[in-house]
Amino acid sequence: MNPLRSVGARLGLGLAIVLTGALVLVDLIVVPTLERNLVNAKLGQLREAAPTIGSQLVNSSPFTLDEVIQSAAASVNARVIYFHPLNPDNPSALRLFVFADSSPVTLGDVESDRLAPRAFLDQQPVSGTLTSDGERYAEVAYPVLGGPVVLLRASLADSLQSVQLVRRRLVIAGLIALAAALLVGYVAASLFARRIRRLERAADRIAGGDFSEPVSDRGRDELGDLAATMERMRQRLAQLEHARREFIANASHELRTPIFSLGGFLELLDEEDLDPETQAEFMATMREQIERLTKLATDLLDLSRLDVGRIRVEQEAVDLAELASTLADEFRAVAQTSRHELVVDGGDEATALGDWERALQIGRILAENALVHTPAGTPVRLSTARRDGSVVLTVEDEGPGIPPEHADHVFERFYRIEGGVASGSGLGLAIARELAELMGGSVELHAIPGRTIFALVLPGASEDKGQNGQGFPRGKATAPDAARSS
Ligand SMILES: Nc1ncnc2c1ncn2[C@@H]1O[C@H](COP(=O)(O)OP(=O)(O)OP(=O)(O)O)[C@@H](O)[C@H]1O
Ligand SMILES: [Mg+2]
């Protein structure tokens, strides 16, 4: 495995590079500056002392010269050399010679010094550094009264030693910091990597369909936030998975019942010698079961299309008053058979923005419920109204009503209230609500004992929307058998 794959190793390497870079920068910038400053300080010190020493030497007699030069050398901690011009009357042939020297040995390097003649010629102090016998010196040459020159030469060994000491300490401190940074970086990254690996394992479990173990991380940083988000995702996926399994179980159960019944009738028809009347009765029941199966299959198809977002809705002007009368026409025969009085209340002008076919499908679901879940002889009223910019189609009946504890659940898939007048699959209201939401509306339930009011609420179409040609109210109804399919 590539050793640099782990976050710890990469972080450690990154820290090492940064620290090494910082050390090199210190060595290239800080150390030379320190050295320059120390040399300048030494030169400054010599420059400051030179005039006093110059005047002391000029004013001393030949007898006291040696004593004066020695004490001057001791006071500035430098070698003092006192030059005199060899031929002061002829400047072009001018040369300096060593008149006195605080050092007991005057070597050739002093006689050939380049600063003293320059100071003599320019008649101003000159300073600089030089290396002699592998050692560096700071030098200041100072001309006295247009004649002699005092040369102060101080060794820089001490200053340079200090610089070397600082450099060595910096390297040691840098190495310690590097080792500490590597250690801390590696440990911190390892802890971090361990948390990441735990999240990775949790993600793997979720990807594999195992939602049983919660995702947790006690950190309050970004990883903690990520774990909390993953936990929310796990709970949501677990819910969806549960809903999916329940849906499949319910759907197979609902499909099995009519198929089982059809199988039984077919066997009876095949085996028994039945009189035509019983045969006709069987055939009618079988037709009913097939109708139930067809409706169920269409509902399931609608739901699965809603789930995958494959149902598209138009945004056109839909006249709900016209829709109510279409519904009444469609259901008049059924209402007559079940002895319900079907009333349409013409309310305000009620143009909604939505999809005519889908709005009609919802209306059919509500009207059918009002007719099948209520006892014969009770009235069913369809009405329309405008409400705060929305338009409402109301289907009201005077049946048994929906008890409050069921009111929230009747919109769930496959939910039915036991012991009702009729039994369906429990899918109608779920489809109605999802379709209404797809159009930006909703289906509301007002349950009062002895009365049930379902309301389809859709956004109202503004006047100009109806006029701009995008959608005038649709023409009369389409075929009823297109009701539940897309
Ligand atoms: N107008 C109503 N009066 C009384 N109960 C109702 C009414 N409308 C719906 N319900 C109750 O709500 C349940 C769910 O209704 P929904 O339309 O979703 O399913 P369903 O009518 O049973 O079956 P289907 O899928 O064929 O419509 C019904 O089973 C019924 O118990
Ligand atoms: Mg129904």
Side-chain angles (χ1 to χ4, degrees):
M1 191 182 102
N2 179 0
L4 282 184
R5 228 188 126 247
S6 85
V7 182
R10 281 189 213 173
L11 196 70
L13 185 70
L15 281 171
I17 291 174
V18 169
L19 256 168
T20 313
L23 273 178
V24 170
L25 273 183
V26 166
D27 198 52
L28 288 180
I29 297 169
V30 179
V31 173
T33 310
L34 179 69
E35 191 178 311
R36 216 170 24 249
N37 286 348
L38 285 172
V39 169
N40 286 342
K42 195 75 185 173
L43 285 172
Q45 192 193 338
L46 295 180
R47 264 195 303 266
E48 216 174 288
T52 318
I53 295 173
S55 69
Q56 282 171 356
L57 288 174
V58 169
N59 294 326
S60 63
S61 70
F63 305 107
T64 57
L65 184 62
D66 196 44
E67 198 184 314
V68 170
I69 206 165
Q70 289 302 338
S71 84
S75 70
V76 283
N77 192 20
R79 180 174 169 190
V80 180
I81 305 125
Y82 187 38
F83 289 94
H84 264 212
L86 194 62
N87 188 2
D89 303 329
N90 180 7
S92 61
L94 196 105
R95 266 196 45 219
L96 290 172
F97 73 96
V98 177
F99 189 67
D101 189 345
S102 66
S103 165
V105 198
T106 302
L107 293 171
D109 65 319
V110 169
E111 277 157 354
S112 63
D113 187 89
R114 285 182 293 125
L115 294 191
R118 259 175 60 202
F120 179 71
L121 283 177
D122 298 350
Q123 278 304 297
Q124 56 182 346
V126 183
S127 58
T129 60
L130 86 152
T131 307
S132 171
D133 284 338
E135 198 176 332
R136 278 187 80 195
Y137 294 94
E139 258 192 1
V140 168
Y142 181 79
V144 194
L145 295 171
V149 172
V150 178
L151 182 71
L152 303 180
R153 175 183 285 191
S155 166
L156 286 170
D158 284 354
S159 307
L160 295 180
Q161 228 169 4
S162 309
V163 173
Q164 286 312 319
L165 189 72
V166 169
R167 176 180 259 158
R168 264 200 307 278
R169 298 227 165 127
L170 265 176
V171 169
I172 292 169
L175 286 178
I176 293 172
L178 185 65
L182 280 178
L183 189 72
V184 170
Y186 192 80
V187 170
S190 301
L191 291 176
F192 212 60
R194 198 185 302 163
R195 288 168 65 198
I196 293 176
R197 271 197 297 277
R198 211 180 304 138
L199 290 183
E200 191 185 336
R201 280 198 297 276
D204 266 347
R205 273 200 311 278
I206 293 172
D210 174 6
F211 308 115
S212 56
E213 216 175 297
V215 186
S216 70
D217 185 286
R218 264 178 264 150
R220 285 164 180 261
D221 50 11
E222 288 88 341
L223 271 190
D225 294 347
L226 176 65
T229 311
M230 281 176 69
E231 173 58 12
R232 280 200 299 281
M233 179 184 80
R234 180 195 72 85
Q235 287 174 0
R236 181 81 187 112
L237 285 175
Q239 272 172 6
L240 287 176
E241 178 62 12
H242 178 73
R244 189 183 69 87
R245 282 171 199 267
E246 211 167 62
F247 181 80
I248 291 174
N250 282 327
S252 0
H253 177 77
E254 288 298 318
L255 287 167
R256 215 177 46 210
T257 316
I259 291 172
F260 188 70
S261 145
L262 277 173
F265 279 118
L266 275 178
E267 253 175 52
L268 281 175
L269 283 173
D270 203 28
E271 285 169 14
E272 311 247 336
D273 209 0
L274 300 170
D275 57 280
E277 206 178 304
T278 322
Q279 256 188 23
E281 206 180 296
F282 280 10
M283 291 303 273
T285 320
M286 284 170 75
R287 217 166 280 125
E288 258 173 43
Q289 296 294 356
I290 285 173
E291 263 171 34
R292 193 173 160 191
L293 265 180
T294 313
K295 180 171 169 295
L296 187 65
T298 320
D299 283 354
L300 289 175
L301 192 65
D302 270 355
L303 280 173
S304 74
R305 281 181 178 159
L306 278 165
D307 282 345
V308 293
R310 271 190 46 209
I311 289 196
R312 296 264 163 274
V313 289
E314 299 290 329
Q315 287 286 296
E316 58 190 2
V318 177
D319 183 351
L320 288 190
E322 189 186 346
L323 193 126
S325 80
T326 306
L327 274 177
D329 289 346
E330 274 185 29
F331 282 92
R332 197 151 326 270
V334 183
Q336 239 164 31
T337 317
S338 59
R339 287 187 289 115
H340 282 88
E341 189 196 343
L342 193 57
V343 187
V344 181
D345 268 355
D348 314 333
E349 188 275 322
T351 309
L353 193 64
D355 185 305
W356 170 271
E357 281 307 328
R358 297 300 172 191
L360 192 61
Q361 185 177 353
I362 298 169
R364 283 182 188 126
I365 292 171
L366 301 182
E368 188 188 299
N369 278 352
L371 291 170
V372 301
H373 296 299
T374 54
T378 52
V380 171
R381 182 170 290 108
L382 303 177
S383 55
T384 51
R386 298 180 73 82
R387 192 177 75 188
D388 308 331
S390 301
V391 186
V392 188
L393 168 72
T394 312
V395 181
E396 188 178 344
D397 68 56
E398 292 181 20
I402 294 176
E405 66 271 24
H406 294 289
D408 277 346
H409 299 292
V410 286
F411 292 101
E412 288 168 13
R413 296 177 181 188
F414 297 106
Y415 193 87
R416 286 166 298 201
I417 302 170
E418 293 303 323
V421 180
S423 87
S425 318
L427 293 177
L429 288 176
I431 294 174
R433 173 166 273 185
E434 289 190 37
L435 283 178
E437 283 170 359
L438 212 57
M439 288 188 278
S442 61
V443 177
E444 293 173 1
L445 163 63
H446 305 277
I448 315 157
R451 176 175 295 194
T452 307
I453 305 166
F454 276 103
L456 163 65
V457 185
L458 288 178
S462 60
E463 286 305 309
D464 46 331
K465 271 200 178 125
Q467 303 300 319
N468 66 9
Q470 194 210 23
F472 278 104
R474 278 279 309 260
K476 279 272 172 186
T478 47
D481 59 0
R484 294 265 175 114
S485 64
S486 65

